Amino acid sequence: MQAVILAGGAGTRLSEETTFRPKPLVEIGGRPIIWHIMKIYAAHGITDFVVCLGYKGHMIKEFFASYALQLSDVTFDLGARSITTHRHEAENWRVTLIDTGLATMTGGRVARVLKYVQGDAFCLTYGDGVSNVDIGQSIAFHRAHGKLATVTAVYPPRRFGALDIVGDSVVGFREKPEGEGGFVNGGFFVLSPKVGEYLEGDDTVWEQTPLQRLASDNQLCAFRHEGFFQPMDTQRDHVYLEQIWASGHAPWKCW
């Protein structure tokens, strides 16, 4: 099975970082967040990736072009114009990088890469969020219900403290509990290639008409995940993820 990763957006809410590089290359613990996402999938046996490029996509190509070299011990014989590799530690991944357009919406990006997808199902996720979701179980769930699409439903991460108010007086302050407001789209989809029938062009926003139509056609199921989930939408999110990684107990590190 393959995993398609949406990595083409401009990431304007994280402009402190994305002015200089695409959001999927923003690092957590010295490695790009897209690397963390791919490690999550690889831990569940998925090592064939299709990456939808857009904003500063050439930088993602450059990252993967030099990735194996950066992890290797090598000898460059300049006279013989040869390279000898002594130690190779890069992951055994197959990565297809596709330019899906600078202004293309998420659904349009999926439509553009479907011709590179093989088999009767594939995974899809965003290039800016990590989770300890059990990918293997989500795939088994998808195959069991037989519908065209599965979305991983997660509790939104807490962002704001909640005020306890009596009358006009604040009598307490507490952290906003996880899950307040119900489940939300956490990405980590499992899809049939037939979802292409719901995609109309570059302006198609995957999270809008396609998912709504799939739901109305009874072709969308929710795989509930009550564990860790954290997107990297803002600088605050980035700092939070860095702190978790530095603690040595990152929940998404399943490898």
Side-chain angles (χ1 to χ4, degrees):
M1 184 174 285
Q2 295 164 286
V4 173
I5 302 176
L6 293 166
T12 54
R13 294 178 63 193
L14 190 60
S15 60
E16 300 92 336
E17 298 284 346
T18 57
T19 297
F20 310 102
R21 54 185 167 178
K23 193 199 288 190
L25 290 187
V26 175
E27 295 181 350
I28 301 171
R31 293 290 176 88
I33 190 169
I34 192 172
W35 177 88
H36 290 262
I37 295 166
M38 294 166 78
K39 291 288 282 188
I40 293 169
Y41 276 105
H44 294 276
I46 298 174
T47 58
D48 191 342
F49 301 95
V50 179
V51 183
C52 304
L53 303 180
Y55 175 73
K56 296 187 183 295
H58 68 281
M59 297 183 70
I60 297 178
K61 289 181 179 179
E62 290 168 356
F63 169 76
F64 284 106
S66 63
Y67 179 64
L69 179 63
Q70 298 302 322
L71 294 180
S72 301
D73 293 334
V74 296
T75 296
F76 293 94
D77 189 327
L78 302 184
R81 299 182 181 179
S82 66
I83 303 174
T84 303
T85 301
H86 305 290
R87 179 182 59 87
H88 179 77
E89 293 189 356
E91 290 85 356
N92 186 27
W93 294 344
R94 184 175 186 267
V95 186
T96 302
L97 304 168
I98 305 299
D99 181 0
T100 56
L102 188 61
T104 308
M105 297 292 101
T106 48
R109 295 190 191 282
V110 175
R112 287 202 185 197
V113 303
L114 282 178
K115 62 184 177 182
Y116 300 98
V117 172
Q118 302 173 351
D120 63 348
F122 67 98
C123 295
L124 169 71
T125 199
Y126 304 103
D128 62 356
V130 290
S131 175
N132 61 352
V133 59
D134 190 322
I135 303 293
Q137 284 191 8
S138 71
I139 293 171
F141 173 82
H142 174 80
R143 294 195 183 282
H145 67 59
K147 307 277 178 74
L148 295 183
T150 297
V151 58
T152 295
V154 301
Y155 286 131
R158 64 169 65 94
R159 291 185 183 275
F160 306 103
L163 300 176
D164 289 327
I165 301 175
V166 176
D168 293 329
S169 299
V170 176
V171 298
F173 183 90
R174 57 190 170 81
E175 286 295 313
K176 181 177 179 181
E178 297 278 356
E180 187 170 312
F183 284 102
V184 299
N185 167 19
F188 295 95
F189 299 91
V190 187
L191 306 171
S192 163
K194 293 181 181 179
V195 298
E197 299 170 6
Y198 291 78
L199 306 175
E200 297 183 355
D202 286 354
D203 293 334
T204 304
V205 179
W206 168 246
E207 299 78 12
Q208 296 178 5
T209 302
L211 285 184
Q212 292 167 1
R213 287 182 55 205
L214 283 162
S216 65
D217 290 347
N218 194 28
Q219 288 296 325
L220 177 64
C221 285
F223 177 75
R224 292 177 175 81
H225 172 63
E226 299 184 10
F228 179 85
F229 165 76
Q230 179 63 49
M232 189 176 65
D233 292 329
T234 65
Q235 184 66 8
R236 178 182 178 180
D237 295 333
H238 181 210
V239 171
Y240 177 57
L241 288 169
E242 283 277 22
Q243 291 172 341
I244 295 176
W245 185 263
S247 75
H249 302 287
W252 70 87
K253 188 178 185 299
C254 55
W255 59 88

